[in-house]
Amino acid sequence: MVAIKELPRDEYIELGHAACAGCGATIAIRHALKALGGNTILTVPACCMSVIQGLFPKNALHLPVLNTAFETAGAAASGIAAGLKFMGKDKDINVMAWAGDGGTYDIGIQALSGAAERKTNFIYTCYNNESYGNTGQQRSGATPYGAFSTTTPIIGKQEHRKPMARIMAEHGIPYTASISAAYPRLVFETYSKAKDIVGTRFIEIHAMCPTGWRCATWDSVKFGKLAVETGVWIMWEKEGEEWRFLGRSKQIAEGKVQRKPVMDYLKPQGRFRTLIKDSKKVKEFERGIEREWDILKQKVSC
Amino acid sequence: MSKIVSVTGNHSASWAARTAIPAVIAAYPITPQTTIVEKIAEFVENGDLKSEYVRVESEHSAMAACIGASALGLRTFTATSSHGLALMHEMLHWAGRARLPVVMPVVNRSLGPPWNIWVDHTDTMSQRDTGWIQFYASNNQEVYDTVLMLFRLCEDPKVLLPGMVALDAYILSHTFTSIEVYDYEEIIDFLPTYEAGHWKLNPKDPMAIGNIAGPEYYYELSYAVHEGFEAARKMIPKVEADFKKHFGRAHGGFIDTYQCDDAEVIFIALGTMGEEAQLAVEELRNEGIRAGSARIRVFRPFPAEQIQTLAQKAKAFVVVDRSLSYGHLGGVVTEIRSALYRSGQTIPVQGVIAGLGGRDVRHTDIKKLIQLGFDVADKGEAMPDIFYGLKR
Ligand SMILES: Cc1ncc(C[n+]2csc(CCOP(=O)(O)OP(=O)(O)O)c2C)c(N)n1
Ligand code: SF4
Ligand SMILES: [Mg+2]
């Protein structure tokens, strides 16, 4: 793992951006761009990153950025990739779509799936803060079972999240990863690796969101890590046909460390306040997690 | 029992849904519409509203889901704004041409790029030709009342069209006032349960909606939509009169006029700017200036006849569009000139573009524009259209 002092000093997201304090998505893009470098074109659909980059006429991102409509990240990137190919520059310039979970799991899945099926040469990042942050925390297809959102305000969400990264891996793309913004060096390494692969690369980053998760901003990284340490979020990658667990999730899978109790993660977050009062629901939450572990363990071992 | 609640324009729309009890609500969040659907989620989860609420994954799907439910002959409701409305565009045509009475508040917001979440009428103006009845509201009670009126109007067997009520972002959507709301039992005489006729998906009486119809049929089917609008034109005054009978309120029919009887210059706009104009008119009247305000409330069907009547006595119109049809003019002024050309009336119509992307238009601005209308009236000729407040 790269040492912190070896991380490139270049910054492609400047101070003065408009993210909330403790925003995981911002930690993630900072380290992803350090790996990709300045020869990168970004396309960003409607999401928190539309806001984080700052208000016109300024912009905190030090790269060309095409802001695009909410449902279009995969398609807009397809156009950029095609144009670069036409100009013969597709080998020199990275194309990255940077979308939220709403723009990926929900409204943007069609454009993303199409781009992957066409083997479009680009990196698609889904930073997953598990709700619609931009519009004030409505539920998404990524919102965990039982979590509060402003469109599931009383009972909590009644469905489990989609296994989005697995869905993308099953498109047969050359690289898929599921990581977390709580481990910035892993973010850097994942993008460093993805950069040199040709074809569609899908990277999902679990992105702490104190505003939506209803937890203290200064505990943001702690909660990102707790998600992994409790096994609620699983870090893995699929390179070619090979599936591997990553980081702490690897240690858990290999039995080297024990998973912490799920309650350690759920209890302090306001969004799970109703869920934790109902032991049946907590069981159902845990069942969803176990199911994902079982499926991934099979993938990794075969 | 009817009660007074202190709510935003958005929650007025949510309350109207709660009162009318649509069978199916399918919606997707977008700023500044979001609080409409959040409140509805709360009503549904509280058990206060027994609708099936589908939290779809896009606006395109929201409208498609409403179409599916409406095709069963059920009352349906959604709400959106801006990019959400734009993404619905294809399905708006589908609802209009399939004659499905979906009702939808739309919070007026600009379109990107750049992202901008403030008031602008480009979103609804761009949907002019989709076969949707269009109302524009100017206060919270009117939002609530118009949703109820729209259900009644749209579900009328002679009309059978979808309808939207537009409300200005923030100025209405996020501003609180007190409004009167009802339980469904109190409005059932005004708005009976929706009983679709034969035009629905029913295994006992099967029929198909929307299979291919060649050139020998398509034109007539388009004309039938147009006839629906003409039926709506006849029904709108009746629905409003009946609403007034039941609830003691009306909002001005097609055009909400203020001091127009003896006005020399009439200021015409949609939405809250039309309401703001009343204040401007009042102040000008105090100075002895004969100004009037005509707030167009119904944009489709377009009230051409009412415009012609207004032009009979006035010396000039000042028409403000909060949207711009790039390469031509504003949408409203174009319609007004066309209506007057048809009747051979030649009063000058001064076109003005103002307030795009949430730029504030105050009653003091409106006073200036009305005063300009007097210059135009004197000259007997309008100036080239004005881009009011444009920084260069
Ligand atoms: C067609 C369309 N519908 C709705 C919106 C409003 N909208 C903007 S961002 C957003 C939610 C984004 O959620 P996500 O992709 O998870 O990103 P986050 O904001 O959480 O970072 C919504 C609903 C829009 N801009 N366009
Ligand atoms: S709402 Fe969440 S994801 Fe969005 S900027 Fe704030 S912390 Fe970041
Ligand atoms: Mg999100």
Side-chain angles (χ1 to χ4, degrees):
Chain A
M1 182 81 58
V2 58
I4 288 177
K5 66 175 193 315
E6 286 160 18
L7 286 172
R9 294 292 166 96
D10 312 315
E11 298 292 354
Y12 297 97
I13 177 158
E14 292 289 343
L15 301 174
H17 61 71
C20 312
C23 173
T26 309
I27 301 175
I29 198 166
R30 178 172 176 222
H31 292 86
L33 292 179
K34 277 178 186 287
L36 294 184
N39 226 8
T40 301
I41 296 177
L42 274 182
T43 182
V44 179
C47 59
C48 275
M49 194 51 65
S50 333
V51 180
I52 292 169
Q53 60 186 270
L55 280 187
F56 182 89
K58 295 186 179 162
N59 196 301
L61 288 166
H62 245 317
L63 295 164
V65 187
L66 173 68
N67 283 286
T68 186
F70 193 16
E71 66 284 0
T72 63
S78 296
I80 297 171
L84 289 175
K85 197 167 163 199
F86 180 82
M87 295 191 292
K89 291 188 177 164
D90 51 321
K91 303 218 163 44
D92 321 329
I93 299 178
N94 307 304
V95 179
M96 178 158 74
W98 186 272
D101 48 301
T104 305
Y105 285 58
D106 298 343
I107 201 167
I109 193 170
Q110 169 178 325
L112 166 59
S113 177
E117 189 263 345
R118 292 187 303 270
K119 302 189 189 321
T120 305
N121 185 24
F122 79 127
I123 298 176
Y124 187 106
T125 300
C126 169
Y127 69 94
N128 177 4
N129 60 3
E130 303 187 321
S131 77
Y132 293 177
N134 174 301
T135 40
Q137 274 75 43
Q138 296 79 30
R139 61 94 80 187
S140 81
T143 302
Y145 173 84
F148 162 92
S149 77
T150 57
T151 45
T152 57
I154 295 164
I155 302 169
K157 194 185 166 197
Q158 304 199 48
E159 304 84 19
H160 289 280
R161 72 177 191 91
K162 292 184 202 174
M164 192 64 214
R166 266 199 301 116
I167 292 169
M168 291 317 297
E170 297 294 359
H171 278 65
I173 55 178
Y175 187 72
T176 308
S178 162
I179 55 176
S180 162
Y183 303 93
R185 290 187 296 154
L186 181 61
V187 173
F188 178 81
E189 295 217 327
T190 304
Y191 280 81
S192 302
K193 178 188 265 185
K195 185 183 174 187
D196 297 329
I197 297 172
V198 178
T200 302
R201 291 140 284 168
F202 179 84
I203 301 172
E204 179 165 10
I205 310 177
H206 197 231
M208 304 78 76
C209 174
T211 312
W213 296 7
R214 303 196 169 186
C215 61
T217 53
W218 52 88
D219 281 339
S220 173
V221 172
K222 184 177 110 185
F223 281 107
K225 286 189 173 166
L226 267 174
V228 176
E229 288 162 357
T230 54
V232 169
W233 188 258
I234 310 173
M235 301 202 295
W236 56 270
E237 68 180 0
K238 175 174 179 261
E239 196 179 346
E241 288 311 312
E242 199 179 326
W243 300 67
R244 307 180 195 104
F245 287 110
L246 293 173
R248 178 74 168 214
S249 300
K250 185 162 185 241
Q251 296 173 329
I252 292 172
E254 288 169 352
K256 288 185 183 144
V257 290
Q258 284 264 305
R259 278 195 244 163
K260 290 186 178 167
V262 167
M263 268 299 181
D264 290 4
Y265 177 65
L266 299 181
K267 220 173 177 178
Q269 294 182 56
R271 62 177 171 154
F272 295 119
R273 199 176 297 149
T274 329
L275 172 75
I276 57 169
K277 284 190 202 131
D278 186 335
S279 60
K280 264 207 225 121
K281 283 195 170 167
V282 174
K283 278 227 167 63
E284 180 55 30
F285 182 93
E286 288 174 327
R287 194 190 62 77
I289 307 292
E290 292 315 321
R291 180 171 181 273
E292 196 55 30
W293 271 106
D294 289 346
I295 293 171
L296 282 169
K297 276 182 183 162
Q298 271 182 15
K299 300 273 183 199
V300 171
S301 63
C302 64
Chain B
M1 263 310 283
S2 101
K3 62 177 170 192
I4 303 290
V5 290
S6 178
V7 290
T8 60
N10 275 354
H11 285 178
S12 305
S14 319
W15 271 94
R18 174 172 163 159
T19 303
I21 318 181
V24 174
I25 300 171
Y28 195 69
I30 180 164
T31 307
Q33 155 267 30
T34 324
T35 54
I36 300 180
V37 300
E38 288 175 342
K39 193 73 188 171
I40 287 174
E42 191 187 310
F43 286 154
V44 169
E45 290 196 2
N46 264 334
D48 289 330
L49 172 57
K50 301 246 177 306
S51 301
E52 278 300 320
Y53 182 32
V54 193
R55 296 157 176 92
V56 281
E57 72 294 330
S58 79
E59 289 84 359
H60 197 270
S61 298
M63 189 46 64
C66 285
I67 286 168
S70 188
L72 287 170
L74 298 172
R75 178 168 295 162
T76 51
F77 180 91
T78 183
T80 191
S81 173
S82 178
H83 284 264
L85 187 66
L87 184 58
M88 272 182 190
H89 178 80
E90 180 191 18
M91 301 321 290
L92 295 182
H93 280 283
W94 207 274
R97 296 191 59 93
R99 311 300 296 274
L100 298 171
V102 182
V103 169
M104 168 167 71
V106 178
V107 184
N108 279 127
R109 163 189 155 183
S110 63
L111 275 120
W115 292 120
N116 168 294
I117 53 171
W118 291 274
V119 58
D120 189 297
H121 292 165
T122 305
D123 53 358
T124 47
M125 282 288 146
S126 308
Q127 310 306 334
R128 189 191 65 181
D129 300 336
T130 53
W132 279 65
I133 292 170
Q134 278 200 2
F135 277 67
Y136 288 78
S138 70
N139 60 60
N140 293 357
Q141 184 75 58
E142 190 183 350
V143 171
Y144 177 87
D145 293 352
T146 306
V147 170
L148 301 185
M149 287 186 216
L150 271 176
F151 276 121
R152 167 79 179 272
L153 177 70
C154 297
E155 292 169 356
D156 188 287
K158 290 201 187 66
V159 177
L160 280 185
L161 287 169
M164 61 177 78
V165 51
L167 57 148
D168 285 342
Y170 300 104
I171 303 173
L172 283 193
S173 68
H174 287 63
T175 305
F176 281 82
T177 58
S178 295
I179 67 165
E180 185 170 18
V181 299
Y182 310 95
D183 289 332
Y184 185 58
E185 296 72 57
E186 295 169 272
I187 67 150
I188 196 159
D189 282 345
F190 172 76
L191 181 65
T193 322
Y194 175 40
E195 300 277 358
H198 72 292
W199 186 234
K200 62 185 174 197
L201 305 172
N202 177 6
K204 294 217 172 73
D205 181 13
M207 64 153 197
I209 297 177
N211 50 320
I212 295 179
E216 68 273 40
Y217 291 111
Y218 187 90
Y219 185 3
E220 284 67 30
L221 290 169
S222 301
Y223 187 73
V225 176
H226 186 65
E227 281 184 317
F229 274 86
E230 290 314 310
R233 189 189 297 285
K234 292 205 187 79
M235 282 297 295
I236 287 168
K238 290 187 192 152
V239 169
E240 195 163 32
D242 200 38
F243 190 90
K244 180 152 194 210
K245 198 180 89 195
H246 280 90
F247 310 108
R249 275 188 310 273
H251 298 282
F254 285 92
I255 303 185
D256 178 22
T257 55
Y258 180 72
Q259 305 265 30
C260 283
D261 287 346
D262 64 342
E264 292 176 10
V265 172
I266 296 178
F267 180 89
I268 303 178
L270 306 177
T272 53
M273 217 193 284
E275 179 132 324
E276 191 80 8
Q278 298 191 359
L279 183 60
V281 165
E282 200 178 300
E283 289 190 8
L284 289 170
R285 287 266 166 182
N286 288 340
E287 297 166 30
I289 297 168
R290 275 162 53 191
S293 157
R295 175 176 69 84
I296 295 185
R297 212 175 138 242
V298 185
F299 188 66
R300 280 292 180 277
F302 189 75
E305 234 174 74
Q306 288 82 347
I307 290 290
Q308 289 156 359
T309 308
L310 278 176
Q312 278 164 13
K313 288 196 229 153
K315 291 192 179 144
F317 284 170
V318 175
V319 183
V320 176
D321 271 284
R322 202 159 207 159
S323 66
L324 171 57
S325 179
Y326 314 111
H328 194 45
L329 315 162
V332 182
V333 77
T334 309
E335 305 287 12
I336 288 174
R337 288 194 181 128
S338 139
L340 297 182
Y341 186 81
R342 231 180 305 159
S343 55
Q345 287 164 289
T346 55
I347 71 161
V349 177
Q350 181 60 53
V352 181
I353 305 289
L356 303 192
R359 185 75 59 85
D360 212 7
V361 180
R362 295 160 187 238
H363 81 282
T364 44
D365 299 310
I366 297 173
K367 273 168 77 176
K368 279 187 210 154
L369 288 168
I370 294 176
Q371 247 135 5
L372 222 121
F374 278 89
D375 298 344
V376 165
D378 286 346
K379 287 201 201 96
E381 197 186 340
M383 296 179 276
D385 293 295
I386 296 168
F387 290 84
Y388 184 78
L390 183 70
K391 290 184 254 182
R392 298 279 245 167

